[in-house]
Amino acid sequence: KMYNYNKQLEQNVLPNSIEELYMRSYKKIITKNLLPKNLKNLYLYAFNHSLDYDEVFPNHIETLYLKCFDQSMPDNIFC
């Protein structure tokens, strides 16, 4: 769990073994290779940046929780 972490995370810093990640009040952009490859559940609270869904999320995401998110999302994100 990351609470009020407000520094830009670097690529490949989070271990790939992480399967669940809670990010509360993370104000920085999530970029390609930032999230662990084995991540299954991602919870973003008070995150309001656009996301490049094809580039950002690992293939195994099962749960994506967005709270206080006011950005457009592609129609096929849940397919």
Side-chain angles (χ1 to χ4, degrees):
K1 294 181 180 181
M2 297 172 56
Y3 296 102
N4 297 319
Y5 187 82
N6 208 19
K7 295 181 183 176
Q8 180 67 47
L9 287 171
E10 300 295 326
Q11 292 181 351
N12 302 310
V13 168
L14 297 172
N16 282 326
S17 59
I18 294 176
E19 292 185 357
E20 189 165 84
L21 181 59
Y22 294 82
M23 298 174 79
R24 186 178 301 272
S25 298
Y26 184 66
K27 305 286 189 217
K28 304 299 180 185
I29 296 172
I30 296 178
T31 59
K32 185 177 181 177
N33 296 325
L34 184 78
L35 298 174
K37 293 181 184 192
N38 292 323
L39 189 66
K40 293 181 181 178
N41 304 303
L42 177 60
Y43 302 86
L44 297 172
Y45 301 86
F47 178 83
N48 201 22
H49 288 282
S50 63
L51 293 166
D52 185 347
Y53 297 92
D54 293 329
E55 295 288 323
V56 169
F57 295 119
N59 293 334
H60 303 292
I61 288 284
E62 296 173 4
T63 303
L64 174 60
Y65 179 87
L66 301 169
K67 184 170 184 178
C68 299
F69 184 75
D70 188 21
Q71 300 289 327
S72 63
M73 297 175 76
D75 293 337
N76 63 347
I77 189 167
F78 300 110
C79 297

